[in-house]
Amino acid sequence: MKEVFIGNYGLEQVGQKMTATGWVANIRNHGKLAFIELRDREGLLQVFVAGDSPAFAGIDHLHKEDVISVTGEVVKRENRFVNKAIKSGQVELRAEAIQILANSKSLPFELDQHAHTGEDLRQKYRYLDLRRSKMTENLKLRHQVTSTIRDYLNGKDFMEVETPYLTKSTPEGARDFLVPSRVFKNQFYALPQSPQMLKQLLMGAGLERYYQVVRCFRDEDLRGDRQPEFTQVDMEMSFVSEEDIRRLVEGMLKAVVKKTHGLELTEAFSTISYEEAMSRFGSDKPDTRFGLELKSLTDLCQANESLLIKKALDNQEEVMGICVPNAANAFTKKQLSHFYQEMKGFGASRFASVTVEAGGLQGVLASTFETEVAAFIERFKAQDGDLLLLVIAKKRQAQEALGYLRLEVAKHLDLIDQSLLNFLWVVDWPLLEWNEDQNRYQAMHHPFTQGIFEDGQEPGQFCSHAYDIVLNGYEIGGGSLRIHDRKAQEAMFELLGMSREDYERDFGFFLEALEYGFPPHGGLALGLDRLVMILAGEENIRQVIAFPKNGTGFDPMLESPSLVDQRQLKDLHLELKN
């Protein structure tokens, strides 16, 4: 085993005879001397092979990605030859003997960082892709984040406890991955979407502080920040308040940023309510690295005489918009038309782009708001040359449409400072949201969240003791105080339209546990993949997972999912249908 990784060789090794092992990243043969760039996990080391060295005879037999062993003396490079781009750049190894440990055939793609290779090919040969320094650094960052989290929680007297992967399928969530049982005919385990009830049961068991870096599984449509299997940092605590939990998680994230980026975050994370997030940013996970905040204009339009606005107000629609400074000529008609199509997808009945010129408005629908010009300009604090993007829609649809639009505009105009790490707490969440398709309420977070109830409120007005932690426009974690009383938990199930028969069948074991002295408790689950993705400056969590699935949930390397032998199906009492 190596005492020193070759990528870390430095002045401490000068004068020593070393045997360096690694992969041949590059060979430069100049006829009478040669240079080999040798690579291991920690980086590159330059190997110098003199023409009169016994090692030179074997140079012609070396190929890129061969695994070799080089024995020789470490020497200090002349100042003019120091390579500041690599950690070992002050030294080189003078080869005396080279041994080929394993040959490599020609690679299916170049490992150079700048070589363009399709993602499917990279995933098919993921073990080669991981040799690229950027991918190796991403996995090292992931390790740093995980180890820092473990150290922090261990220092706070948390216990790491493993929970099972073969669990029970329950409603109120994404689709489960099911595992058929060989022993119990026609019955199935489910892979856990999270250890939610199990970690709550650990609180009932009296452990008081639990955490786990755990794999979770959800059979849902994929996107850049979502995989069918993912990792979360799961935490649960007894006898705590919301503030206790947020303070602990905030301290942990600050420790992670200090360890991985060398940044000392001294300011407390900003906190806003769910309603404020939607009103200002049109998102419950707002990116606060730039402005373009939403403004409601509905109150300014009450006296508007146009049929368009009268009809919108009668239909309880809202007029909202964003102001884009100095962007009057930033978008083509084609781009604005594309924005209009996107806004229609969010349910907006109208979209308009108007520019501020000579203290007035110019563009589509400008004449419609002729009497509101001064009020609009004042509300936006707009100036000549600014662009106003306006939508008319139901309140939530208008907010979500503009929330999407502000992000698209910011990306197009390069308004986002990529160096920032903007953490944000979103609190005071609604307890329930209405599901139009199922004609019933569903839990905004999950059905174990503790509600906040006031006299005279309708169910849709109930708030909850729930909180999300957001980073740069991504929800990286969410949690709540939990229900710890059986009657309250049953009442929550009934609010969700579940019958007693249903919740006794699906959650009977949990409800019974609540009758045995269950402590008040709460917790939070942090998405490890998303957190590492952001810290690594990546835009897709596949870049920070060693062996991910592709965008369709397929693994090109393992060629999975795949068909299985008929004998296995027979053992599981399963029969496939076309």
Side-chain angles (χ1 to χ4, degrees):
M1 185 170 68
K2 297 178 181 178
E3 292 186 6
V4 182
F5 285 102
I6 62 174
N8 290 334
Y9 277 21
L11 298 178
E12 299 85 357
Q13 280 74 43
V14 170
Q16 296 182 34
K17 190 167 187 176
M18 306 288 287
T19 297
T21 52
W23 287 259
V24 176
N26 198 15
I27 308 168
R28 304 193 306 275
N29 190 341
H30 298 291
K32 295 184 179 180
L33 56 89
F35 294 95
I36 302 170
E37 289 181 358
L38 195 60
R39 184 190 68 245
D40 71 0
R41 191 188 80 182
E42 294 302 312
L44 297 172
L45 172 68
Q46 179 168 285
V47 175
F48 172 77
V49 189
D52 57 359
S53 166
F56 192 82
I59 286 292
D60 290 338
H61 301 291
L62 290 184
H63 304 89
K64 281 188 177 182
E65 297 308 308
D66 283 352
V67 181
I68 65 173
S69 168
V70 183
T71 300
E73 182 183 354
V74 179
V75 300
K76 186 176 184 292
R77 294 200 208 185
E78 294 181 33
N79 288 338
R80 59 187 175 135
F81 294 130
V82 168
N83 184 352
K84 296 180 180 180
I86 59 176
K87 288 183 287 185
S88 66
Q90 290 183 290
V91 300
E92 66 182 14
L93 183 65
R94 294 291 175 94
E96 297 171 9
I98 298 176
Q99 180 184 1
I100 298 177
L101 304 178
N103 293 113
S104 172
K105 64 180 184 179
S106 296
L107 300 182
F109 58 89
E110 287 294 321
L111 301 187
D112 185 274
Q113 298 297 306
H114 305 290
H116 178 73
T117 305
E119 188 176 30
D120 279 349
L121 188 61
R122 286 175 49 210
Q123 282 198 240
K124 180 175 176 63
Y125 297 95
R126 188 64 166 186
Y127 47 88
L128 296 179
D129 190 37
L130 292 177
R131 293 183 189 178
R132 296 190 304 124
S133 62
K134 175 59 175 171
M135 298 301 294
T136 305
E137 290 302 313
N138 284 352
L139 292 187
K140 286 162 66 176
L141 174 66
R142 186 183 180 107
H143 166 70
Q144 276 189 315
V145 171
T146 307
S147 61
T148 303
I149 287 172
R150 279 196 164 100
D151 290 344
Y152 184 88
L153 293 175
N154 291 342
K156 298 291 184 181
D157 296 323
F158 277 72
M159 289 177 59
E160 184 170 9
V161 182
E162 294 178 340
T163 53
Y165 282 168
L166 296 177
T167 62
K168 179 183 176 69
S169 180
T170 57
E172 294 299 323
R175 287 182 295 271
D176 290 323
F177 283 103
L178 300 178
V179 181
S181 170
R182 177 184 60 81
V183 178
F184 300 97
K185 185 177 180 180
N186 297 331
Q187 296 185 52
F188 294 81
Y189 300 103
L191 299 181
Q193 296 184 31
S194 81
Q196 183 59 47
M197 282 183 289
L198 296 171
K199 68 181 179 182
Q200 290 188 246
L201 290 172
L202 289 173
M203 297 301 98
L207 297 188
E208 298 200 27
R209 296 180 194 177
Y210 140 93
Y211 82 93
Q212 183 180 191
V213 181
V214 61
R215 299 293 278 175
C216 301
F217 308 86
R218 292 179 187 172
D219 185 7
E220 56 189 353
D221 295 335
L222 304 184
R223 59 191 187 206
D225 63 344
R226 182 185 287 169
Q227 282 272 294
E229 52 182 322
F230 57 96
T231 305
Q232 69 183 34
V233 180
D234 207 44
M235 292 168 273
E236 201 76 7
M237 294 146 266
S238 295
F239 312 111
V240 289
S241 66
E242 279 191 57
E243 292 73 20
D244 291 332
I245 297 169
R246 297 209 305 265
R247 186 162 50 247
L248 176 113
V249 172
E250 194 165 314
M252 181 180 74
L253 289 171
K254 286 178 177 178
V256 166
V257 170
K258 184 175 181 180
K259 177 69 174 179
T260 60
H261 284 56
L263 294 176
E264 189 87 51
L265 300 181
T266 57
E267 301 276 330
F269 293 173
S270 298
T271 302
I272 64 173
S273 70
Y274 169 84
E275 281 302 327
E276 184 183 355
M278 295 302 299
S279 297
R280 291 175 57 191
F281 303 102
S283 172
D284 56 24
K285 47 182 183 297
D287 191 336
T288 57
R289 290 174 294 173
F290 62 97
L292 307 186
E293 292 192 18
L294 283 58
K295 300 292 182 184
S296 176
L297 309 169
T298 310
D299 61 310
L300 304 178
C301 299
Q302 296 302 310
N304 192 296
E305 294 296 323
S306 76
L307 292 177
L308 173 67
I309 301 303
K310 281 180 174 290
K311 182 179 178 180
L313 296 180
D314 289 343
N315 197 34
Q316 296 185 320
E317 291 186 319
E318 303 264 344
V319 183
M320 296 185 189
I322 59 174
C323 176
V324 190
N326 304 311
N329 301 309
F331 298 99
T332 65
K333 287 184 178 180
K334 183 177 180 180
Q335 289 170 323
L336 292 171
S337 177
H338 172 72
F339 287 156
Y340 177 47
Q341 295 303 318
E342 294 287 338
M343 295 302 94
K344 286 202 297 186
F346 281 92
S349 59
R350 292 303 295 264
F351 168 75
S353 60
V354 295
T355 58
V356 181
E357 298 179 23
L361 300 181
Q362 299 291 326
V364 179
L365 292 188
S367 60
T368 302
F369 300 109
E370 188 173 0
T371 58
E372 291 87 12
V373 170
F376 275 24
I377 291 176
E378 171 61 26
R379 180 145 302 176
F380 283 117
K381 304 298 181 190
Q383 299 178 355
D384 286 355
D386 291 354
L387 173 68
L388 307 186
L389 299 175
L390 311 175
V391 299
I392 300 175
K394 297 286 188 181
K395 179 179 178 180
R396 193 62 83 212
Q397 292 171 327
Q399 289 174 339
E400 291 175 351
L402 287 171
Y404 168 84
L405 187 59
R406 71 181 286 270
L407 281 172
E408 291 299 298
V409 168
K411 291 173 185 175
H412 179 82
L413 299 179
D414 197 22
L415 301 179
I416 305 173
D417 185 345
Q418 301 294 341
S419 68
L420 295 178
L421 292 174
N422 276 21
F423 289 94
L424 177 74
W425 285 107
V426 180
V427 301
D428 299 333
W429 282 72
L431 181 67
L432 307 168
E433 61 181 341
W434 184 253
N435 187 314
E436 293 284 353
D437 296 333
Q438 299 180 20
N439 196 36
R440 68 175 182 87
Y441 284 108
Q442 64 186 27
M444 196 75 163
H445 273 70
H446 54 62
F448 311 104
T449 300
Q450 193 179 118
I452 302 171
F453 309 103
E454 295 183 14
D455 293 340
Q457 284 186 325
E458 294 295 318
Q461 297 174 305
F462 297 156
C463 279
S464 68
H465 286 290
Y467 35 83
D468 277 4
I469 181 69
V470 175
L471 174 58
N472 292 358
Y474 289 93
E475 174 214 328
I476 59 168
S480 67
L481 298 185
R482 324 298 192 189
I483 298 168
H484 64 100
D485 172 79
R486 175 167 184 148
K487 289 184 179 179
Q489 186 64 74
E490 288 179 342
M492 179 63 173
F493 287 146
E494 288 165 7
L495 270 176
L496 300 174
M498 297 178 67
S499 68
R500 178 173 291 274
E501 180 184 8
D502 287 340
Y503 63 68
E504 286 284 2
R505 179 194 64 232
D506 294 328
F507 302 104
F509 69 97
F510 182 70
L511 291 169
E512 183 179 8
L514 294 177
E515 297 182 285
Y516 291 102
F518 224 92
H521 61 288
L524 179 138
L526 191 72
L528 182 68
D529 309 293
R530 287 184 188 175
L531 174 61
V532 177
M533 176 190 77
I534 298 166
L535 294 176
E538 299 286 2
E539 295 184 352
N540 194 306
I541 62 173
R542 293 194 289 272
Q543 297 295 95
V544 298
I545 298 173
F547 298 105
K549 307 295 185 288
N550 67 15
T552 66
F554 183 72
D555 186 331
M557 183 182 70
L558 298 178
E559 297 184 340
S560 172
S562 60
L563 297 173
V564 297
D565 191 276
Q566 285 293 325
R567 288 173 294 182
Q568 288 180 276
L569 296 176
K570 185 177 180 181
D571 288 343
L572 295 169
H573 320 289
L574 294 177
E575 182 179 343
L576 300 182
K577 293 184 178 181
N578 291 327

